[in-house]
Amino acid sequence: MRKNWLLLLGIVVSVTCLFAKVVADYDHAVSFGKYHSYSWIGVNVQEPLWNDRVTKAIDNQLTAKGWRKVDSGGDASISAVGATHTEQTLDTFYSGGFGGGWGHRGWIGGGPGFATTTVEGTLHVDIFDSQSKKVIWHGVCTDTLTGSPEKNEKKMEKSVADVFKKFPPPEKG
């Protein structure tokens, strides 16, 4: 019974880590139909090799939505900021005795325990109205990274596609 419980817990933790988290929000007073071109303000990520990868992933999404990239003077301006975060988790399970491990002569606990270290990458994408310089759309995508740059690039491209899935927001009316 206990082995089944541990197996189930392990599967739940693993599956939870497999899915990227994406969130997008926008200024509900803005009509996105007036935006057709964009220019980059900049990309700032921790790894310099990733600047071009992030730019390309976002460019691909905006181009697919009918927006045109221009060197300067676009209707909208884009900024992207990325970072990584290391998170450590320690899970322990104790058995025996009263109170989940407490025995007659003090602590007699035992049982399996495991520690995990994960690295999460988070990318924030902001779209500004170039005239007013106000943020009109904000997207965030977070995913667990691996030791493989190729796999991480594919994850980033998929996460960026997911965050832009409902972009541009629907027109009111």
Side-chain angles (χ1 to χ4, degrees):
M1 176 78 166
R2 182 175 175 176
K3 287 181 183 179
N4 290 340
W5 174 250
L6 290 175
L7 179 62
L8 178 63
L9 181 65
I11 290 170
V12 169
V13 169
S14 298
V15 169
T16 303
C17 292
L18 290 177
F19 298 106
K21 298 166 213 78
V22 296
V23 177
D25 195 8
Y26 63 97
D27 183 340
H28 294 268
V30 171
S31 172
F32 282 79
K34 69 180 182 179
Y35 300 98
H36 303 285
S37 63
Y38 70 96
S39 305
W40 276 95
I41 296 171
V43 177
N44 184 9
V45 294
Q46 289 174 321
E47 296 292 331
L49 290 173
W50 281 81
N51 284 340
D52 290 339
R53 295 171 188 166
V54 168
T55 302
K56 181 181 173 193
I58 294 169
D59 284 346
N60 288 343
Q61 293 303 310
L62 291 173
T63 300
K65 304 294 183 171
W67 286 32
R68 183 175 47 90
K69 180 180 174 180
V70 295
D71 290 335
S72 63
D75 302 326
S77 301
I78 313 293
S79 173
V81 178
T84 59
H85 170 74
T86 303
E87 188 169 314
Q88 296 179 339
T89 305
L90 175 64
D91 294 312
T92 58
F93 300 93
Y94 298 99
S95 65
F98 172 75
W102 286 97
H104 177 64
R105 296 203 170 128
W107 186 255
I108 62 166
F114 57 92
T116 56
T117 301
T118 56
V119 178
E120 284 190 343
T122 301
L123 181 64
H124 293 263
V125 181
D126 289 309
I127 300 178
F128 298 83
D129 178 285
S130 293
Q131 297 300 314
S132 69
K133 307 219 183 321
K134 287 185 173 183
V135 176
I136 58 172
W137 187 89
H138 176 77
V140 180
C141 43
T142 301
D143 204 349
T144 301
L145 302 178
T146 69
S148 166
E150 293 81 14
K151 286 182 182 178
N152 290 337
E153 185 173 1
K154 288 183 191 300
K155 283 183 168 198
M156 184 267 304
E157 289 170 351
K158 182 180 180 332
S159 293
V160 169
D162 287 346
V163 83
F164 277 96
K165 196 169 277 185
K166 294 182 181 179
F167 181 87
E171 293 294 319
K172 295 176 185 51

